[in-house]
Every structure is written in structure tokens, then in C-alpha cells.
């Protein structure tokens, strides 16, 4: 009996009137956990009852604690008839099960009814007393922390990143059970909500067990999804990345026991590693002030530790040593071997993370994806979900082999999704093939990872020695080769270098020497599913790029249907890819990050929607333009038309370059060494799709021998394509958008954020639609949606829409549903302007200045977790002290630039008003992993909620829009209430994973299912931090960064 | 292609001030859209090039209207707004929303002042709407606001203005205006007569404030129900005692001579005053004596105008002279040895003076 759950019902307020006669309510509460139920007394005749109950105690084992939600039902007592339910609250008590999260859940929760929505609030206090249980064979996994965030959470460092964990559980869907015919919609909805809650708990527990087996203590990038398979059941599946995390505040406690003098130093670099990526390019907060925060002497004193960044990030060594790209070969092989050994034990070397500690990512191969069309059948034995497991295993195997073909052993930024229509299901998986630095991957004991650390330690110190610091060259024999390779991959471009063998390329690609280091080969275009690495050097700003596509499909049944879909898929992928490539060129950019391709299936069509953030990587060649070629020569008017189009395209490219400030430096040929060849389009997207028959087909997405920048206009279709290329309007002035965490090229965020969800359902008017019509409609739908967003948020200008996440669904014939969740973040315009001018020259100087900059921005020893807020990248650059990697930061200066000191005053006044007199805690929500201008001081646990809302009076509730508007607002409210009850003031990495909307206007009915998740956190405004006295190790370096942030 | 469903929900509830006002003003979505188009909403930054004319605005307006509609329920009980969880709105924005929801059009309230806030009155709002040019929707909202506030505070103890502030979180001035409206609705003072048309809502509001302060139960005892809404019956009864001032010929003459002595040479309308003194005094005292009758109480303002303001206006009294006269008139009564109701007299005259001064204009 390892746990005691204690619940107290305090009071209710704003209850609905349940007794028409008295206009009052006689409310009481049932508290249920597992099979035990307690009741409060009836509080008669009040809409604001004060129950002040005793503590209800449930003695349960921890397995149950993990699986079961606490269920609180508020009822109206009725002497003569059955008691009427007012509504329910489900509380996930998981956050109370590990020590570092919340200790108590206490607060006002909306009382939710699936038919009426929110009906008043109830004040509840929940506590858990856990007893130690040393049983090795336990089925629970209490204590394993879960994070939705797809990077190492801010106040932790990764000791080991173990790798992929996955699990799925299946059950019958209550909505399809026979009993559903005789029970009320409310009962059915509640059964579903409860079941899913239970299944999520079970799933999480099972994943936790796997993590414990791997000797990890946390799951990062946890993504849980539901597949509503209808008749055939309900699948809840989850993937994540198992890690061993250390809380940064307690760093010292985790120092390994061995006493070597070097130990501490080794330790330190680690601390800083975890966070950085999120920062990638856009240092969020105003860079400005931070510079002041440290005195030169301070920085000097930290010098020794500052060398800590890992070698791959220190280009200068590479430059000096003259290790040419060619020498990279053997090293590469060695490195591969090493990594392989680290990854070998793992069935699937996948990582759901999208941003990584610096140095983790050695090379990126490109996007790998796999799709498979399956026919759903009833799941006969829910306890043995083998079919579903097998399906996913198959797909993952495929992904793995694609990655291998790209010369990579790992897949990062990995995600899985499904699209279901009737009995056909498309399973999709995608990720980015990559070569990883094995040091984070070591399994096993502390000893092991210590060794690992030692092995790369030398790198640091050799750098240090150049600076006249400690010369320390310890026991790194086996990994010296590793170091070698790392040295040759300078930060900022190393990840772009091809991981595959030049002579044995997996697909026709065009390679050039890296425009940054000139030592290694790079592709001409790079597609990835991850966030822009921190160290990446970028010119100008990024932008959201979408490819949109509809394809009609014949209605068919079962197997025939699956075949039709399978046949269509390759064409869709090809076209999506072509669109992306063309749009990328049109913007004068050469790389895509955060690529997410969604293909949804409906009754009579397929829809493809790809979103990504385009950027210009300095390491990659400048993209060529787009040439249009006509097929019918000698026709004067036709050629005139063609040349007109060509001009339009060229103009658009020029305009885009201006908008996104892409002005790469002209590089004289000699420097490059090899001629810059005519760019050719090439695909890094390796995909395949397998049909139910499991047959795997590979599709070469490159345009064969054709010169791929040439668009041939040989028919009206092609003409349409060109037109559609040009219809994407750039965001209005003052707006930027991206689907990654932060916007490359913007680094002076101000703290105003606005997270929103927007949903549109469009009816395609006539049935005799053509593909072109569909495409146009779908394209308009997305474009208009974006326009509306810009208009709505105009008061926030200048601002950037970050993490713009589109999902598309085909709920019925002729209906397309698009849902967007994103966050608008304001930034300081003046600084931005400043910034933009610098990068070009900067990047040229970069190599030479690196050294100095390094010296100027030493790292702080105990870099603090807080400082490493994602948003601070910019600061770090300058002031850097704080967190991670001084060196990459320094380099980043190149692209980001340092506008700082100037703009100091600007952001200062923008602060978000904080509420004082309201009893309701203001809870920020954001899909990002950080909050601009603030530090996350604590993670309180994962929020994972599932709601169903149904109405039988659709018209009265304002039609479908009114119904869904209210529901989404209610979902936000319930998420906020749960976070506030945990003691938090924000949700980060918020995501709406599902929004299934069904309507039946004839019956005046509608139903919607929503699944959301995120991490509840406590954040502190940096400006407030300043006032907090330094108390703990966590805070040590705060003054620095805090100082910097005054502005917020 | 039509949008069946189109929603936008922000974590912080976004409410465009301009759209909120259009909604309050009772415009339909399409009217609001065309107003916004005319106001050049699309030229604002963020509209972007080529935004389908009106389409973006239409969607935006609909969205705001929906939000307003959902908020309305909460605005009916403003304290709920601060505690509810559904909409995350910064407190200062909440205050703004409430204030604007309860703000009213003075021409509209002027029409309604003193009328019973009943269903019948509500039915006649279309006439008011036609007369004032305020949309019927807006009239109804304002009417409902009056009625809601009336209902909420009618049975409460304590000062009226405080109660209104507490229950509706209104700023001070707005709360005072509502107190006046409630007071008028409760006492049903006649304000619609032609003679009173020249008076604005502000005039009546100021008078109401004086009456509340000095003539209600609350003026003497702050712990009774309805203390600020109902006039002090006992006081009205006692006012009959003042009759002596005009009924007793000696007293009247004495009073007149005291006032005349004091004002001689100080006011420009001395002669007119002297001739009219008895009429004016009779008028004011008779008003006081009749206030026990409900009908006469209702005609309080009509009587003030008929019996005092009109004669003065006819003689073109400057306001300063009227002030002097009323001060002397009130003060001199203290020198009348035979007159023993000094306190009562002051309570009556101070308020009447304040009202008269407020009402004496063109």
C-alpha cells in the first residue's frame, strides 16, 4: 500500500440554478478514486456552497495512483427523484508523484459537463503521501518525470540521453459499445473521457517503466496521441525520449564521487549543454543590457570554465589545424562506429527532441519519412495490441533504414501521426536523419558517462591552453579521433556537412564545399524536421513556408480504397516536395527547419499540408532562381507571356530577399576553390510508403536529369502551379512567422505573448470539383486564415508568429477543417532593424574574430539553468555569461548580431501588466518551450487533458462557430485552472493534438473532442528576479542575466 | 467556398475596443463591418495587401461579436468577471469593459428618467429609439442595465452609491449617475412635461444627489433598508409645519422685510424681487407642504419650475441674484422669533436651493 491520496472539498461558486422553484441549488460532491467513493454533506440552497469537508483518504498502490484520475462529481440533491449531476472535474494526480514537481494541488477548478460546458467552479485540495517501496518488480514508475518540451527542459541538464521509448494501449471505444444505444450522450461522453484518462495514465506508467529499465529518470518530448478508430477501437499511443536529467539547482549533489581535479571542470560544461538549442537563432530578449552585467574581471575569472563548449563548436581549432575535409573520411567512419555502438543496443535510435545541447548534433542528413496505409480491423484482445505494435514497428524499421541510407545512425525530431477515414488509416512517421555525438548517449552507470565526458574533455582543454589556460590532456585515447573529427566540423556549419559518402550517395545530390569552412561538402538544400540549431549561422530572417495540396480520390471501400490511397500518396509527396522547393527558392533561401508534412484522408479526397521555416544558412550555397521554360517555341505571344511570368518570379525573389533581409556576402571564386556549379534541384526527402501489402516502394524525388530549377509550362496545370507559387502573400509589414520555436534573425523579444487557436471549416461548394479548384480553395483557405491572424494581432506589431502549427482534417465530404495554434510574440523593432544590417559583414569576419569574441564572452561556471532560457540566446551572445556555450554564442553573433547596447531602453516599457486584485492567477500559455523575458524556475508536471463537448441545441448556442468558440475557450480555462492549482503560472510546449469536430445541423447537434497537452511551469520575470536575493546555487549566475533583462 | 465555421480564441481574450463599441451601440455584424470599412480599418497595419475587402473584417467582427455575446452574461454581474475562469482578461481591461457596458447615452436616459422600469416601458423603447436615434438594441441594453441595477440595490442596506459600486464595480461618477436613475425610477418624479424639457440628465442627476443626501432616510440613519432610495416620510410630514411662514401674515411680512433689508442694493432685480416676494415664498412653502401627497411629490420638479424658476426667468434674474436671494431667504427665517422649525427649514431649503440653482438656466 504505497500511497495515501487525500482530498478535501472546500467550496463551490457560481453554481448553476438547479431548482427552478427556489432559483437555488442543494449541492453535494462525490469524490471517486478507483472503486472508492466518498460524499460530502448536502449544502442546501446555495449557489456558493461551503462544504469544508474532512480529508477524504484513499489508500491505494502507486500503480493505481498513476493510472487513475481523481474524479470529482458535483450533484444537486433531490429528495424525490434522482440527483442531478451538475458536472465533473477530473484531476490527474501524476504531478504529485515525483518529488521535484508539485506538492499539492489546490485551487478552483471549472466544473465541466459535456453537454452544458463549464457550470461553476469548485475549490479542491489534493495531496499524496507516498511511502517508499523497494519492490524491484513493481509495476509502477512513480518518479519518472514527463515533459512535452522537445528540448532538454530549462532547469535541467541531460546526463544521458537514452533514446526512444514508445508504447500503445488499445481498448474498445465506449461510443461504439452496445450500451451506448441505451445510455444518454452525457453518460457516453463521460465514459469516453474517463477511459481515455485511464488509458493515458496506464500508458504513461508503462513508458515510465521502460525508462526505468533504461536507467533513465525522465521522458522528454513526450507525445501522446489518440486514434479514434471507430468500430475497431480506441488506440492511445505515445512516443518520447528517455533521458537521465539532473536538476540544475542541485548540480553539486550530482557530482560524481571520483576526486580527480578535473572532475569539476568536466562537470560544468555539462551543465550548460542542455539548454541551448532552443535559442537557436533568435535570442529572444533584448540583448542589450546584459552586457553590463558583467565586469571584465568576472569574465576573466571564469575563463577556465568558459572553454567548456564542445569542440565541434570551436571552429578556430579546425581552421588552424588544417585538417582538411578529405581527412574527415576516416574520422567520420570512426565516429560512426562509435556512435553506432552507442546506438546499437537500441532498437530504434530515434529522438523526439527537436533541439539539442550544442555538439550533440554532428551532421544532419535530411528528412526521412515513411507512410503506410492500413485497413483497420477490430482489436480482438485489448491486452495484446500486437497488430498496431507491428504496424508501427514496421514503419520505424523503414525510417531506420532510410536513415542508414543517408549515412546516419540516428533520427532526430522524430514524430508519428495517423489519419483515419472510415476503415482506412494512414500511418506516418518522419524525422531527420542525423549523426550524433555519442557522448550523451552512453547508457549505463554514472561511471560510464563520466568516462564519456572525460573522453571529450581534452578538447576543451586544448582550447583552453591556446588561451593560456590549463593544459590538460587526459585519458582520451579512444576518442581522440572523435575529437579530430569534431575539430574539422566548425560550429555553425558542421551540422550541414554531409554524413553520407560522397561517392555512394543515396540519391542524386549536388554537393559543394561548405561556404563557411570550405573544408567539407554540403548539399545545396537542406530539409529537416528539427529546430534551427543554436550554433547555426543564418543570414536574414526566416519565414513560414507551406505547401498545400488536394487530390480527388474515388470513393471506394476497404481494400480498394486503401489501394487507391497508396497509389496517390507518392504523387502527393512528390508535389508537396516540389512546392516546398519552389517556394524556398522563391524566397531566396536554402534550408527548411521544422518540416512537418501532414497527409489527411477523407471520403473523396486527400489533403497534404507541409509547413516549415525557411532560412538562409551561410554554409549552404546561394540558391539559384527559378527558370520558366515554355514548351511551344516560336509562338510570339506565348513567349511574351512566359517572359512576363519569368519577370514576375524574378521580381518576387528580389522582393523576398529584401523582406527577409537575405544579403549574403559575395564570395570571390578563388576562395571557394571549386567552381560553384549551376545549382540543381535535388531532394533530401527520402520517403517511401508501404501499402497494406507491406511492399515498400522508393521514390526518387529528384527530378532526374532535368535541370530542376526549370519549371516547364507545358499545360494548364503547370501554369496553375506557377500562379499558385506567386499567390502566397508575404506577411504584412511588422509581422514575421515561423513554425519553429524562434525566428531566425530576431533576437530582441519583448515579453508580450498571445497564444491562440483558430479553427476554420470550409465547405467546398460544388461536387464537380477538379484538382485545380480544390487546390485553389485549400490554398485560399490557408492564406485567408493567415491574413485574418495578422489582422487580429495587428495591435502587437512588430511581432512574430512562432510555432505556427497547422493541422488539417477532412471531417466529411466537401468539408476541410484547418486548425492553427501559434503564439504571437512582440519584439523590439528598432533593435531588429539594427541587427539586420550587420550579419553580412559579420559572417565574413567571423573566422578571424572568433577567438577574440570567445575571450570576450567567457562562460560562467555554474551556468545557471535559468539564464539558459531559450529566449535569451541573444543575450548570451553578448553578455553571455550566463548560460551555455559561450563560443557558439560568439559565433552566433555573426548572424544575430549584436545590436544590443543601443536599444536598451526600448523594451523596458512594454511590460505586460500584471494583475493584482483579481483572485484568478494569470496563466500564460505558449506552444514554445520558454517564455520571453522570463525564467522557468520549476516544472510542475505534464498537463494532458481530453475533453468532449456535445450539444443538442446547436442553433441556440450560436451555431457551429459559437459552439466551438465556447468550447475552445473552456478548454483553455480548464488548462489554466489545472496549472494554477499546481501552483504554476504558465504552460509551455502547449499543443492541441486533436480537435475532432462533427456536426449534424439537421438534428441541431454537434460534438467535438479535443486533446491538449503541455508542461505546467513556474516562471519568474527576469525583472523580478533581479530583486530576489541570490540564495541558491541555481541563482548564482542569475544576476548576470537578470541584470540584462531589466528591460522586460 | 464558404466558411462554415470560423473562430479565433486567444489565451488572453482579445476584444477590439472599436468593435466592442459598435456592438454596444447595437449594430448588426454587417452594419459594423461597413462602419469599420468606412473608418478605414483595413488600412491599419496588419491588414496586409490584398486582404479580401471585408472578408477579413467580417470574420474578425463576427468573432468579436461572439466573444462579446459570451461576455455579456458575466457583465450582468460584474464581480463575476473578476472570478470567472473562462476569459483571461487583464483587470484594467475588465474595468474598461464593465464601464463601457454600463455607460449610457444621456439623451436616452433623459427620456426614461422617472419612468417605471417595467415591461411596458420596455415595450415603448422603439419610440425612444426613434426619437433619440439610438438603436433599439442599445436602448434595450441600457434599459436592462437600469433595471438590473435597480433590482440589485433596491432592497439593500447602506449608501446607494456604495452599493452600486460594490455590486457593479462602476467608477464613482457612473455609480452616482446610476444612483440618480434608481432614485428617480423609485420616486417616479415627473420629468417628461414640456416645461421640464430644457433640463438635461445632468441637472436631474445633480438634484437627485442633493435629495439623496439630505431628504432620504439615509440622511439621518444609515442603517435602514432602502435608506437612500425612499424619502424620509417623517420629514415630509413635518414639512407641513412650514406652512406658518406663509399662512401667518406677520411672519410673512417680517420675513420679507428681513430679506429686503439684506438685499437692498445688492441685487439687480431688487424691485422685481420685492414685488414678487410673497408669491415666491408662498410657492416654495406650498411645495414643501404638499410633498406628503404622492402626486405632488412626483410633481416636485414641475412645481419648482412653475412656482419659482419661471417667475424669475420672466423677470430675468441673473443666477447670482437668485443665489443671493435664496441664501438670504433661508437665513432670514432664523431671525423670525415666532418661527421654531429652524432645523427643518434648513434641511428643506438647502436642498431646494441647490436644486433651483442647478435648474436655473436656459
Amino acid at each position: 500500500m504505497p500511497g495515501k491520496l487525500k482530498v478535501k472539498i472546500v467550496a463551490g461558486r457560481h453554481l448553476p440554478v438547479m431548482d427552478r422553484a427556489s432559483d437555488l441549488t442543494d449541492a453535494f460532491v462525490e469524490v471517486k478514486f478507483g472503486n472508492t467513493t466518498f460524499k460530502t454533506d448536502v449544502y442546501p440552497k446555495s449557489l456558493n456552497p461551503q462544504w469544508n469537508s474532512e480529508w477524504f483518504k484513499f489508500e491505494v498502490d502507486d500503480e493505481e495512483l498513476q493510472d487513475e484520475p481523481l474524479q470529482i462529481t458535483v450533484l444537486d440533491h433531490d429528495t424525490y427523484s434522482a440527483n442531478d449531476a451538475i458536472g465533473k472535474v477530473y484531476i490527474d494526480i501524476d504531478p504529485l508523484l515525483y518529488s521535484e514537481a508539485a506538492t499539492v494541488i489546490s485551487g478552483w477548478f471549472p466544473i465541466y459537463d459535456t453537454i452544458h460546458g463549464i457550470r461553476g467552479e469548485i475549490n479542491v485540495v489534493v495531496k499524496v503521501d507516498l511511502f517508499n517501496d523497494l519492490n524491484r518488480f513493481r509495476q509502477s514508475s512513480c518518479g519518472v518525470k514527463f515533459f512535452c518540451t522537445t528540448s532538454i527542459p530549462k532547469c535541467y541538464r541531460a546526463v544521458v540521453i537514452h533514446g526512444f521509448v514508445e508504447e500503445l494501449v488499445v481498448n474498445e471505444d465506449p461510443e461504439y459499445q452496445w450500451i451506448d444505444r441505451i445510455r444518454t450522450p452525457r453518460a457516453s461522453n463521460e465514459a469516453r473521457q474517463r477511459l481515455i484518462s485511464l488509458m493515458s495514465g496506464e500508458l504513461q506508467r508503462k513508458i515510465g517503466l521502460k525508462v526505468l529499465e533504461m536507467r533513465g529518470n525522465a521522458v522528454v518530448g513526450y507525445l501522446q496521441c489518440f486514434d479514434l478508430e471507430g468500430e475497431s477501437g480506441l488506440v492511445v499511443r505515445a512516443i518520447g525520449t528517455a533521458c537521465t536529467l539532473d536538476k540544475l539547482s542541485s548540480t553539486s549533489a550530482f557530482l560524481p564521487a571520483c576526486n580527480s581535479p578535473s572532475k569539476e571542470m568536466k562537470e560544468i560544461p555539462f551543465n550548460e549543454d542542455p539548454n541551448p538549442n532552443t535559442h537557436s537563432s533568435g535570442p529572444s530578449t533584448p540583448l542589450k543590457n546584459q552586457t553590463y552585467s558583467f565586469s571584465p574581471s568576472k569574465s576573466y575569472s571564469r575563463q577556465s570554465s568558459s572553454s567548456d563548449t564542445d569542440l565541434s563548436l570551436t571552429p578556430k581549432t579546425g581552421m588552424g589545424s588544417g585538417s582538411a575535409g578529405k581527412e574527415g573520411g576516416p574520422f567520420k567512419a570512426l565516429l560512426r562506429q562509435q556512435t553506432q555502438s552507442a546506438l546499437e543496443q537500441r532498437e530504434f535510435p530515434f529522438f523526439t527532441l527537436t533541439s539539442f545541447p550544442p555538439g550533440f548534433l554532428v551532421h544532419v542528413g535530411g528528412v526521412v519519412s515513411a507512410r503506410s496505409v492500413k485497413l483497420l480491423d477490430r482489436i480482438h484482445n485489448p491486452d495484446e495490441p500486437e497488430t498496431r505494435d507491428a504496424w508501427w514497428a514496421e514503419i520505424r524499421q523503414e525510417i531506420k533504414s532510410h536513415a542508414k541510407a543517408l549515412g546516419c545512425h540516428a533520427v532526430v525530431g522524430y514524430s508519428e501521426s495517423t489519419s483515419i477515414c472510415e476503415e482506412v488509416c494512414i500511418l506516418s512517421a518522419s524525422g531527420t536523419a542525423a549523426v550524433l555525438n555519442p557522448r550523451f548517449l552512453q547508457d549505463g552507470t554514472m561511471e560510464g558517462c563520466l568516462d564519456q565526458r572525460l573522453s571529450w574533455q581534452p578538447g576543451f582543454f586544448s582550447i583552453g591552453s591556446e588561451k593560456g589556460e590549463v593544459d590538460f590532456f587526459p585519458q582520451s585515447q579512444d576518442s581522440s579521433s572523435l575529437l579530430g573529427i569534431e575539430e574539422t566540423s566548425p560550429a555553425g556549419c558542421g551540422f550541414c556537412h554531409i554524413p553520407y559518402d560522397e561517392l555512394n550517395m543515396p540519391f542524386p545530390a549536388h554537393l559543394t564545399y561548405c561556404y563557411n569552412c570550405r573544408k567539407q561538402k554540403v548539399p545545396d538544400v537542406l530539409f529537416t524536421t528539427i529546430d534551427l540549431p543554436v550554433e547555426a549561422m543564418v543570414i536574414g530572417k526566416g519565414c513560414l513556408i507551406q505547401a498545400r495540396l488536394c487530390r480527388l480520390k474515388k470513393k471506394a471501400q476497404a481494400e480498394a480504397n486503401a489501394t487507391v490511397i497508396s497509389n496517390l500518396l507518392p504523387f502527393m509527396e512528390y508535389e508537396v516536395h516540389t512546392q516546398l522547393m519552389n517556394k524556398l527558392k522563391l524566397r531566396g533561401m536554402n534550408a527548411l527547419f521544422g518540416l512537418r508534412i501532414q497527409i489527411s484522408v477523407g471520403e473523396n479526397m486527400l489533403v497534404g499540408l507541409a509547413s516549415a521555416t525557411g532560412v538562409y544558412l551561410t554554409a549552404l550555397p546561394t540558391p539559384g532562381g527559378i527558370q520558366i521554360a515554355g514548351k511551344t517555341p516560336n509562338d510570339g505571344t506565348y513567349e511574351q507571356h512566359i517572359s512576363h511570368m519569368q519577370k514576375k518570379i524574378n521580381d518576387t525573389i528580389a522582393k523576398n530577399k529584401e523582406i527577409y533581409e537575405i544579403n549574403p556576402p559575395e564570395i570571390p571564386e578563388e576562395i571557394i576553390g571549386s567552381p560553384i556549379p549551376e545549382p540543381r534541384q535535388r531532394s533530401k526527402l527520402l520517403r517511401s510508403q508501404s501499402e497494406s501489402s507491406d511492399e515498400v516502394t522508393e521514390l526518387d524525388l529528384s527530378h532526374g536529369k532535368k535541370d530542376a530549377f526549370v519549371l516547364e509550362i507545358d499545360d494548364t496545370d503547370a501554369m496553375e502551379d506557377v500562379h499558385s507559387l506567386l499567390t502566397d502573400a508575404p506577411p504584412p509589414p511588422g509581422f514575421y512567422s515561423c513554425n519553429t520555436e524562434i525566428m531566425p534573425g530576431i533576437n530582441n523579444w519583448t515579453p508580450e505573448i498571445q497564444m491562440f487557436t483558430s479553427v476554420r471549416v470550409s465547405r467546398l461548394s460544388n461536387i464537380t470539383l477538379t484538382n485545380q479548384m480544390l487546390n485553389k480553395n485549400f490554398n485560399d483557405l490557408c492564406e485567408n486564415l493567415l491574413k485574418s491572424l495578422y489582422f487580429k494581432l495587428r495591435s502587437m506589431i512588430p511581432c512574430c508568429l512562432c510555432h505556427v502549427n497547422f493541422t488539417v482534417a477532412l471531417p466529411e465530404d466537401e468539408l476541410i477543417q484547418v486548425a492553427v495554434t501559434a503564439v504571437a510574440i512582440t519584439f523590439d523593432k528598432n533593435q531588429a532593424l539594427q541587427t539586420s544590417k550587420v550579419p553580412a559583414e559579420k559572417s565574413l569576419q567571423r573566422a578571424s574574430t572568433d577567438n577574440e569574441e570567445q575571450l570576450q564572452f567567457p562562460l560562467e561556471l555554474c551556468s545557471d539553468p535559468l539564464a539558459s532560457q531559450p529566449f535569451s540566446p541573444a543575450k548570451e551572445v553578448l553578455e553571455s555569461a550566463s548560460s551555455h556555450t559561450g563560443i557558439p554564442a560568439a559565433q552566433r553573433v555573426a548572424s544575430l548580431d549584436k545590436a544590443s547596447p543601443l536599444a536598451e531602453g526600448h523594451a523596458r516599457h512594454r511590460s505586460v501588466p500584471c494583475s493584482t486584485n483579481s483572485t484568478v492567477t494569470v496563466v500564460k500559455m505558449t506552444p514554445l518551450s520558454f517564455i520571453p523575458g522570463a525564467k522557468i524556475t520549476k516544472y510542475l508536471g505534464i498537463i494532458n487533458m481530453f475533453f468532449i463537448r456535445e450539444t443538442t441545441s446547436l442553433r441556440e448556442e450560436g451555431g457551429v462557430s459559437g459552439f466551438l468558440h465556447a468550447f475552445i475557450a473552456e478548454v483553455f480555462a480548464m488548462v489554466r485552472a489545472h496549472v494554477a492549482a499546481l501552483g504554476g503560472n504558465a504552460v509551455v510546449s502547449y499543443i492541441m493534438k486533436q480537435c475532432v469536430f462533427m456536426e449534424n445541423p439537421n438534428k441541431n447537434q454537434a460534438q467535438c473532442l479535443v486533446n491538449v497537452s503541455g508542461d505546467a511551469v513556474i516562471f519568474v520575470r527576469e525583472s523580478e528576479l533581479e530583486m530576489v536575493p541570490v540564495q541558491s546555487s541555481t541563482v548564482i549566475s542569475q544576476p548576470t542575466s537578470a541584470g540584462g533583462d531589466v528591460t522586460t | 467556398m464558404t466558411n462554415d465555421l470560423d473562430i479565433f480564441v486567444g489565451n488572453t481574450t482579445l476584444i477590439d475596443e472599436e468593435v466592442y463599441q459598435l456592438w454596444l451601440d447595437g449594430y448588426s455584424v454587417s452594419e459594423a463591418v461597413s462602419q469599420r470599412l468606412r473608418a478605414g480599418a483595413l488600412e491599419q497595419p496588419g491588414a496586409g495587401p490584398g486582404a479580401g475587402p471585408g472578408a477579413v473584417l467580417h470574420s474578425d467582427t463576427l468573432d468579436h461579436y461572439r466573444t462579446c455575446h459570451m461576455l455579456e452574461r458575466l457583465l450582468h454581474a460584474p464581480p463575476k468577471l473578476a472570478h470567472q475562469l473562462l476569459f483571461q482578461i487583464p483587470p484594467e481591461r475588465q474595468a474598461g469593459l464593465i464601464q463601457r457596458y454600463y455607460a449610457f447615452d444621456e439623451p436616452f436616459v433623459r427620456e426614461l428618467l422617472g419612468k417605471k422600469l417595467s415591461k411596458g416601458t420596455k415595450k415603448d423603447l422603439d419610440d425612444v429609439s426613434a426619437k433619440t436615434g439610438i438603436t433599439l438594441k442599445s436602448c434595450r441594453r441600457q434599459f436592462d442595465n437600469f433595471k438590473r441595477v435597480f433590482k440589485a440595490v433596491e432592497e439593500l442596506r447602506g449608501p446607494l452609491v456604495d452599493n452600486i459600486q460594490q455590486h457593479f464595480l462602476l467608477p464613482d461618477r457612473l455609480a452616482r449617475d446610476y444612483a440618480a436613475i434608481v432614485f428617480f425610477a423609485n420616486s417616479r418624479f415627473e420629468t417628461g412635461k414640456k416645461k421640464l424639457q430644457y433640463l438635461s440628465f445632468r441637472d436631474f442627476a445633480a438634484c437627485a444627489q442633493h435629495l439623496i443626501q439630505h431628504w432620504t432616510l439615509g440622511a439621518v440613519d444609515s442603517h435602514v433598508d432602502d435608506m437612500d432610495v425612499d424619502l424620509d416620510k417623517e420629514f415630509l410630514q413635518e414639512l407641513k409645519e412650514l406652512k406658518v411662514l406663509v399662512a401667518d401674515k406677520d411672519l410673512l411680512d417680517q420675513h420679507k422685510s428681513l430679506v429686503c433689508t439684506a438685499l437692498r442694493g445688492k441685487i439687480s432685480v431688487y424691485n422685481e424681487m420685492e414685488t414678487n416676494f410673497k408669491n415666491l415664498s408662498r410657492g416654495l412653502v406650498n411645495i414643501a407642504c404638499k410633498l406628503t401627497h404622492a402626486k405632488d411629490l412626483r410633481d416636485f420638479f414641475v412645481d419648482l419650475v412653475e412656482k419659482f424658476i419661471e417667475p424669475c426667468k420672466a423677470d430675468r434674474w441673473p443666477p447670482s441674484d437668485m443665489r443671493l436671494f435664496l441664501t438670504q431667504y433661508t437665513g432670514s427665517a432664523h431671525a423670525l422669533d415666532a418661527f421654531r422649525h429652524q432645523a427643518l427649514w434648513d434641511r428643506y431649503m438647502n436642498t431646494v436651493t441647490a436644486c433651483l440653482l442647478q435648474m436655473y438656466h436656459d
Side-chain angles (χ1 to χ4, degrees), chain B residues 77-92:
Chain B
K80 272 193 189 168
L81 198 58
H83 299 292
Q84 54 84 34
L85 305 176
L86 193 54
F87 300 99
Q88 185 158 278
I89 306 172
E92 65 282 351

Side-chain angles (χ1 to χ4, degrees), chain A residues 162-224:
Chain A
H162 301 279
F164 192 60
V165 278
E166 49 77 30
E167 185 63 83
L168 64 79
V169 294
V170 300
N171 211 316
E172 267 186 275
D173 190 338
E175 185 101 341
Y176 294 88
Q177 285 164 349
W178 67 268
I179 194 172
D180 203 60
R181 286 178 212 158
I182 54 165
R183 67 182 163 190
T184 62
R186 173 181 287 120
S188 157
N189 291 339
E190 280 171 5
R192 255 176 139 184
Q193 282 194 173
R194 204 186 110 74
L195 178 68
I196 290 189
S197 208
L198 207 65
M199 287 168 79
S200 322
E202 183 190 343
L203 192 68
Q204 218 167 306
R205 173 173 58 82
K206 286 186 169 168
I207 291 225
L209 282 174
K210 289 192 174 178
V211 172
L212 291 176
E213 252 168 51
M214 296 166 97
R215 297 189 182 219
N217 64 3
V219 182
V220 180
Y222 184 67
L223 179 70
Q224 183 191 287

